[in-house]
Structure formats: C-alpha cells, structure tokens
C-alpha cells in the first residue's frame, strides 16, 4: 500500500487496499463489540471485503493496469 501512495499512477489500488483492510479489521472488532445475535453481520465484513478487493483487482487487470 505504501508503494501505491508513493506512485500517483497506482494510487487507486492503494486506496482500494486501505478500504479492504479497514473492513477486514472492522469485522473482528464488530464481532467483539456486538451482541451474539449480530456476530454474523460483522463476520461478513471480513469475508466480503476480501472478495470485493479481489473483484476490484480483477477488473483493474482486465481493463489494463498500466493505462
């Protein structure tokens, strides 16, 4: 992520990685802070953030990362 912020060409990849990492951390924090009935909702933050970031990278690669 640090390299992405240093190079303006790939800044969008670094921003996407920061968003995904924040959501990955929000999952366990939310599971610890929420009642038992809502733990599944916060667990999905971790799972879907990884899947969403992989989809984002796939779209970037399909479009051409250097363009």
């Amino acid at each position: 992520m640090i390299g992405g912020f240093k190079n303006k060409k790939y800044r969008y990849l670094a921003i996407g990685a920061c968003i995904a990492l924040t959501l990955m951390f929000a999952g366990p924090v939310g599971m610890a802070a929420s009642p038992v009935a809502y733990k599944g909702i916060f667990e999905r933050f971790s799972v879907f953030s990884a899947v969403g970031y992989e989809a984002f990278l796939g779209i970037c690669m399909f479009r051409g990362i250097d363009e």
Side-chain angles (χ1 to χ4, degrees), residues 6-8 11-14 16-17 36-38 40 52-54 56-57 60-61 63 65 67:
K6 286 184 179 180
N7 189 351
K8 291 185 181 187
R11 186 160 291 167
Y12 65 96
L13 292 174
V36 176
Y38 299 111
Y53 186 64
E54 290 292 327
F56 171 70
L57 287 178
C60 291
M61 294 301 284
R63 291 181 54 211
I65 199 164
E67 295 177 0

Side-chain angles (χ1 to χ4, degrees), residues 11-30:
R11 186 160 291 167
Y12 65 96
L13 292 174
I15 291 171
C18 286
I19 292 170
L21 186 63
T22 302
L23 287 173
M24 284 182 196
F25 283 135
V29 170

